[in-house]
Every structure is written in structure tokens, then in C-alpha cells.
Amino acid sequence: NAGVTQTPKFRVLKTGQSMTLLCAQDMNHEYMYWYRQDPGMGLRLIHYSVGEGTTAKGEVPDGYNVSRLKKQNFLLGLESAAPSQTSVYFCASSIRWDQGTVSYEQYFGPGTRLTVT
Amino acid sequence: AQSVTQLGSHVSVSEGALVLLRCNYSSSVPPYLFWYVQYPNQGLQLLLKYTSAATLVKGINGFEAEFKKSETSFHLTKPSAHMSDAAEYFCAVSPNNAGNMLTFGGGTRLMVKP
């Protein structure tokens, strides 16, 4: 199993350009997440999805959109990139929460380093 | 709502010395707690997790953490540091009755000196 994969690994954008980051998981996980990582701030949740066709906002959703058309894929879009979106982006997935069972954990991809100039 | 505070953004130890990385949390409900490790240019990997069973949790690579409810802490320790332990470590909290959402601390970078 490849686990969680992310495409691309690196990208440089000019202000105002758009792009889409792709996340794919082969573990049949229901839940998928997009985080951004900035120095000293840990990981902050951008958007997440609890199943195919559903998405929800996280802590820092502004400037991003997402789609989950297939269970195994979760796309993160930047419509008009800004320098403040320079960051490392991580995708993660997990099993569905089921109260009463033991806890889950999130499985992370290797990250995408994005620079906006 | 929950939050996580990791004391010390950088910790330096000598090889063979004790590793202690501090994590304090706040949560309105009993929490699940996690430690993740991130090696350079890689994603996060789960080290260990507390899910309301034993308060002393053992993880991979010789790490362990103790849940102390009275101190709202979940500090990570390892008796003897190895050069390969150099990485960034993240503590995270999740409410145990509200799904999968994790709140991360700011991270602690561990440096190991020869």
C-alpha cells in the first residue's frame, strides 16, 4: 500500500495564479483532511471531508476550496494565490469516527511545499 | 474547545541523555492525546496515543508518555537519546466524544548532540 500520496511535492506560484493539490489514499478511509504547516504554529486544519461528496471548513479555510468527488481523492484548490499562502501543505486520512471504539489516528502524506512570490 | 501548548520550541540534548518534551492541553471533555514525529522533509508519523486506557503509554523507538489529568499534561520521554531521534515532535489533542478533529501544538524541534 502506498498510504497517502500528494502531488506535486514542490510548486512555485506567482501572486494571483491558481493551482490544485491532489491527495490520494489507498486505505479506504472515510475521513480526509488538509492542513498547512507554518513555523511555530504546528499544523492548522484548512478543510476536511467526512465522506465522498461532503466537505467542511476547518480553522483556516479562507482562500482555499476543496472537493471530494471520489472516496480516495481529496483536492485542495487555490483560486488566486497570495504570498500568505506560502506554506507546507499536508493531507491526512483516517477511519470514520465511531463512538465507543478505540481511537483512530490520522495518516499523513509527505507534504507539498508551496511558495507564492 | 481544546488547545495544546508545547513548552520549548527547541530542545537540545546530548546523545545518551534523557529526552523530555513537554505538552500541556486544555479540553472541555476527556481527551485523546497523541504524539507525532516529523523527520526532515517528511510527513508526520504517529509515535504514540492515549485513549483513556493505561495512563502510561509506550510508543515506537523507545518513547513513552504519561497522561496526568491533574496536571493536564502528556509529556514525552525517552531514557537515552539517539542521533536518529533528531526531528520535530508534535503533541495533539482530540475530544473523545466528537469525532476525528485534531488540534496540534506548535511543535518542538529536538536536536541531539554527539
Side-chain angles (χ1 to χ4, degrees):
Chain A
N1 287 352
V4 180
T5 58
Q6 294 183 232
T7 309
K9 288 186 169 52
F10 303 95
R11 186 71 186 269
V12 178
L13 287 179
K14 295 187 188 303
T15 297
Q17 288 184 320
S18 63
M19 77 163 294
T20 300
L21 294 101
L22 170 64
C23 175
Q25 52 95 4
D26 61 1
M27 296 175 283
N28 200 35
H29 284 169
E30 290 286 345
Y31 287 19
M32 296 186 75
Y33 317 79
W34 275 108
Y35 294 91
R36 59 176 291 171
Q37 181 183 27
D38 302 292
M41 304 186 75
L43 276 74
R44 293 179 293 169
L45 184 64
I46 303 171
H47 286 279
Y48 64 98
S49 168
V50 300
E52 183 178 320
T54 70
T55 63
K57 294 180 180 180
E59 180 186 355
V60 288
D62 293 344
Y64 306 95
N65 57 75
V66 289
S67 64
R68 184 122 180 249
L69 300 179
K70 295 182 178 181
K71 184 177 183 179
Q72 64 268 35
N73 295 339
F74 195 28
L75 306 179
L76 178 72
L78 287 73
E79 291 184 348
S80 179
S84 60
Q85 294 177 304
T86 294
S87 187
V88 181
Y89 292 85
F90 287 99
C91 177
S93 69
S94 70
I95 61 173
R96 189 179 65 188
W97 173 260
D98 185 3
Q99 191 169 358
T101 67
V102 296
S103 182
Y104 57 92
E105 63 231 40
Q106 293 185 16
Y107 294 80
F108 285 81
T112 295
R113 187 172 295 274
L114 174 66
T115 301
V116 183
T117 62
Chain B
Q2 56 272 342
S3 65
V4 178
T5 301
Q6 291 183 240
L7 292 176
S9 58
H10 292 79
V11 170
S12 181
V13 301
S14 298
E15 192 173 19
L18 171 72
V19 176
L20 170 61
L21 304 183
R22 300 179 187 273
C23 173
N24 287 87
Y25 70 90
S26 68
S27 179
S28 56
V29 298
Y32 288 163
L33 293 156
F34 305 80
W35 276 100
Y36 281 87
V37 61
Q38 183 182 30
Y39 298 105
N41 300 313
Q42 294 187 26
L44 277 70
Q45 176 184 357
L46 183 70
L47 265 182
L48 49 80
K49 61 186 179 185
Y50 165 75
T51 58
S52 72
T55 57
L56 182 62
V57 181
K58 295 188 185 298
I60 62 172
N61 301 338
F63 284 93
E64 63 181 37
E66 186 172 9
F67 172 66
K68 292 187 176 180
K69 183 178 179 180
S70 61
E71 299 177 9
T72 61
S73 68
F74 191 55
H75 301 330
L76 182 70
T77 60
K78 182 174 180 177
S80 177
H82 192 273
M83 296 296 291
S84 61
D85 295 326
E88 188 153 22
Y89 293 79
F90 293 93
C91 183
V93 63
S94 173
N96 73 352
N97 66 352
N100 298 49
M101 298 302 109
L102 289 178
T103 299
F104 284 87
T108 298
R109 184 168 299 280
L110 176 66
M111 294 165 283
V112 183
K113 299 175 291 187

